[in-house]
Amino acid sequence: MNETHVPVRGEDEPEQLREQFRQLLRYRWLIGGGVGIGLLAGAWLGVTGADSYAATTDIVLRAPTSDPFAPTLSGDKALNMGSERQTALSRSVAQGAAKQLGMSADEVDQLQSGLQVTNPPQTLVLHFTYNASDPKEAARRANALTASYIDMRKDQWESVRDSMLKSLQDQLNPVAKQNDELSRQIKQLPDGSAADSAYAVQANLLNRITDLRSKITSLKALDMTPGNVIRNATAPSSSDGPGLPLSLGLGGLVGVGLGLLGAWVRLVFDPAPRSAGDVARAVRGPVLGALPRGSAGTLVVGHTDSRAAEEYRSIAFRLAYDERFADRRRLLVVAPRGSMGSSVAVAVNLAASFAETGKNVLLVEADLRTPSLSERLDVSVASRPRWSRTGEHAEGEWPSRGQLLFDAGESGSFGLVPGERVRNVPRALTSARTTRLIAEADDPDATVVVVAPPVLAYADALALVDRVDGVLIVCDPRTVHRADLMRIRELIVGAGGTVLGAVTHTDSKRGRTPAARRGSRRRAPKSQPAPTPEPSKTPDPERHFDGDGSDTVALRTVRSGDR
């Protein structure tokens, strides 16, 4: 097996898009919720829009002028269309229309709420649109608002003109009076320099009077019409809404977009691995197998020909051809956190798979805190392989001389070193006896599989990584975080170990706690063997530890320590 654990797919963009779409489909509830919201919004829009009718009028605005055909006139410079639009939407226009319609002052806000005024770009046109539940009432109110706007703008222009006329007239009256007095004085003056000076002053006054009268005449000649109505409102024949079918279609499309957006956001911020590629990138190793749902808690190799059994065999073969594992075949199986159920199941099935290939397999339970593997497995008293026996044994040490043999059905059998409660777990795991036990895999036909407690719960597994050839991480992608997998790899590499890969599974009992699962195992069928009895009690007739001189080929004796 080469060192490239994560395949490079940078050039395969269609495959990446398909993978991302499959990941988005994991959040079907978000997509379905978005579609539901969109359909509800579309239905509401279709129902409410069915009773809404829009009547429209158009006005072409113009500035006051005395010669509308003058070539120098520029209406877009004389008028600010933004200000005109705000004026049309003002409360003053609504109040004028309310008076024309005979509405009370309390109904002005209601009248104003149904009005919309727009200005098409590059035009001097104001487009009045009024929405009401009755088509005739919509047309009547649109025309009233248009007339109110025209009247108000005309009154405003005329008010400005009247004020300017008054100002000019106020300037003209004293000048005209002064001119009349100067004319009477000139008639009484004899000819000479005094008369010439009086005539010069009178000429200036006459020029001033002429200028003021010209301005007054120009203002009186102005056409104060603010604009012309080019389209009057008529009762619409159909509602303004898009209709219920179209609203539902648009709502569904918008809902799909919202759902995909929500699923994408959830996908981005999801701490769990989204795919096998995420797991491989986190542990920097290949995903050796993906177990079917619910198959991580049972022994299937050697008993059934199910898909799970073939998956375990495939994992075993991939490990066997990995050059980092093939020489000495010492494997450590761990889980990130939580229960050991999944890692124990993978270890047992891999041991059975290796036994099928003719290897002498030894399964070591390195759980010295809550050991339970011997209680779960159906161990027998048949003689075990000589190569799995350890040397001398001192009282209270682990592993003890007692080793069991597990029958894996058609796969054969393999040795089992069960875990035992010890007072000092780190000392037991780092002892020379444990090292010699794991070193049994140096035999060409031997394989040792060690299962240890979760890495992020205890440091027990880290005490063993330097004595095995590789570590196999067993995880449920739905319950583990990418940060946890990266942390596990850092711990294993920092302790001198190598991550061979990962095995993913989907627990069918995800909602149950580890304590509940342990309780269910203890309430297993009666065919499972009972726990190992205490030394002070009568030994279990169905289980004994061989290799210590207490048994022969046809005769079994009771050890002196058990009397």
Side-chain angles (χ1 to χ4, degrees):
M1 184 179 293
N2 54 27
E3 295 295 331
T4 304
H5 301 307
V6 183
V8 179
R9 300 189 303 176
E11 296 83 3
D12 195 358
E13 294 183 359
E15 179 62 27
Q16 290 182 353
L17 292 176
R18 286 192 291 270
E19 179 64 23
Q20 291 178 1
F21 185 74
R22 284 193 294 267
Q23 293 172 8
L24 288 177
L25 291 181
R26 294 172 54 191
Y27 307 104
R28 296 182 181 88
W29 61 274
L30 275 175
I31 299 176
V35 173
I37 293 174
L39 290 177
L40 289 176
W44 177 82
L45 180 63
V47 172
T48 57
D51 295 334
S52 178
Y53 295 88
T56 59
T57 60
D58 290 331
I59 304 176
V60 177
L61 302 183
R62 55 187 295 271
T65 179
S66 58
D67 185 6
F69 302 103
T72 58
L73 181 64
S74 179
D76 56 344
K77 295 181 179 180
L79 296 173
N80 188 328
M81 296 306 297
S83 300
E84 296 297 329
R85 178 178 174 275
Q86 294 299 322
T87 302
L89 291 171
S90 65
R91 185 176 179 83
S92 300
V93 174
Q95 289 176 346
K99 292 180 181 178
Q100 297 180 20
L101 296 172
M103 301 173 64
S104 62
D106 298 336
E107 297 177 333
V108 174
D109 292 336
Q110 180 183 358
L111 176 64
Q112 190 178 6
S113 63
L115 177 63
Q116 294 179 356
V117 180
T118 58
N119 169 231
Q122 306 299 325
T123 64
L124 297 177
V125 176
L126 285 182
H127 185 72
F128 285 72
T129 303
Y130 195 87
N131 294 283
S133 57
D134 182 69
K136 294 182 179 180
E137 186 65 19
R140 194 167 72 94
R141 294 187 178 186
N143 290 326
L145 288 166
T146 303
S148 176
Y149 167 75
I150 293 177
D151 293 341
M152 190 188 72
R153 292 302 290 153
K154 185 175 181 180
D155 292 341
Q156 290 176 347
W157 284 119
E158 289 179 351
S159 176
V160 172
R161 183 186 63 176
D162 293 342
S163 63
M164 294 179 66
L165 286 174
K166 183 178 181 302
S167 176
L168 292 174
Q169 190 65 41
D170 292 341
Q171 298 177 36
L172 177 61
N173 290 336
V175 175
K177 184 178 180 181
Q178 184 180 0
N179 181 61
D180 293 341
E181 292 178 355
L182 186 59
S183 297
R184 288 195 298 269
Q185 292 176 4
I186 290 175
K187 291 179 181 180
Q188 297 175 1
L189 290 175
D191 295 336
S193 59
D196 293 339
S197 298
Y199 280 121
V201 172
Q202 186 180 29
N204 292 332
L205 292 176
L206 290 175
N207 289 335
R208 178 63 176 167
I209 292 172
T210 302
D211 182 55
L212 292 174
R213 286 179 177 175
S214 176
K215 291 180 179 180
I216 292 173
T217 302
S218 299
L219 287 175
K220 290 181 178 180
L222 289 177
D223 184 4
M224 307 307 295
T225 303
N228 299 318
V229 179
I230 59 177
R231 182 173 66 172
N232 289 315
T234 57
S237 59
S238 61
S239 62
D240 186 52
L244 185 59
L246 182 59
S247 298
L248 289 176
L250 293 176
L253 291 177
V254 174
V256 170
L258 289 176
L260 290 176
L261 178 61
W264 178 79
V265 172
R266 179 68 177 87
L267 185 65
V268 169
F269 292 99
D270 188 4
R274 299 186 294 266
S275 63
D278 284 352
V279 176
R281 282 186 287 272
V283 302
R284 296 187 184 180
V287 175
L288 299 177
L291 302 178
R293 181 183 296 273
S295 61
T298 56
L299 175 63
V300 293
V301 177
H303 294 278
T304 63
D305 292 332
S306 62
R307 174 190 167 193
E310 295 302 322
E311 190 69 25
Y312 282 117
R313 294 187 180 100
S314 175
I315 296 171
F317 276 110
R318 293 191 66 179
L319 288 172
Y321 285 101
D322 191 333
E323 59 185 10
R324 297 168 297 177
F325 175 77
D327 293 338
R328 294 183 296 178
R329 296 169 302 282
R330 294 182 294 194
L331 179 66
L332 175 62
V333 182
V334 295
R337 61 173 75 247
S339 171
M340 287 183 58
S342 58
S343 57
V344 167
V346 172
V348 171
N349 282 279
L350 286 180
S353 300
F354 287 127
E356 283 185 346
T357 62
K359 299 294 183 181
N360 294 324
V361 182
L362 178 64
L363 177 61
V364 179
E365 182 188 15
D367 183 10
L368 308 183
R369 303 178 188 272
T370 57
S372 61
L373 185 56
S374 60
E375 301 175 7
R376 305 184 205 179
L377 301 181
D378 185 12
V379 294
S380 63
V381 297
S383 65
R384 54 181 174 77
R386 285 289 176 181
W387 64 269
S388 65
R389 298 179 182 178
T390 59
E392 67 279 358
H393 171 64
E395 189 68 24
E397 285 187 353
W398 180 89
S400 63
R401 288 185 297 173
Q403 297 179 8
L404 306 177
L405 189 69
F406 175 70
D407 184 8
E410 297 181 358
S411 298
S413 60
F414 56 85
L416 170 64
V417 177
E420 300 176 6
R421 292 182 181 272
V422 297
R423 180 171 300 178
N424 193 324
V425 176
R427 179 178 298 176
L429 293 176
T430 56
S431 64
R433 186 176 179 82
T434 304
T435 302
R436 289 195 301 269
L437 176 66
I438 299 177
E440 294 287 349
D442 292 339
D443 189 292
D445 294 329
T447 300
V448 173
V449 180
V450 183
V451 57
V455 180
L456 299 180
Y458 303 101
D460 299 354
L462 300 179
L464 301 170
V465 295
D466 60 338
R467 281 170 284 178
V468 297
D469 299 300
V471 179
L472 184 64
I473 301 175
V474 182
C475 64
D476 185 352
R478 303 178 307 168
T479 59
V480 71
H481 292 177
R482 291 189 295 270
D484 293 343
L485 296 177
M486 291 187 287
R487 177 61 177 164
I488 290 172
R489 183 190 176 278
E490 293 175 355
L491 293 174
I492 293 173
V493 173
T498 302
V499 178
L500 297 179
V503 174
T504 62
H505 68 92
T506 302
D507 192 357
S508 60
K509 300 179 181 180
R510 179 183 178 186
R512 299 176 60 184
T513 61
R517 289 193 290 269
R518 286 194 299 268
S520 64
R521 289 194 299 266
R522 297 184 186 278
R523 293 189 297 270
K526 296 182 179 179
S527 60
Q528 293 187 356
T532 304
E534 298 294 334
S536 60
K537 298 180 181 179
T538 303
D540 187 352
E542 295 297 326
R543 181 182 304 162
H544 78 286
F545 302 122
D546 58 349
D548 56 358
S550 63
D551 57 36
T552 61
V553 175
L555 178 64
R556 181 191 310 165
T557 61
V558 180
R559 292 178 296 177
S560 59
D562 294 335
R563 294 176 181 174

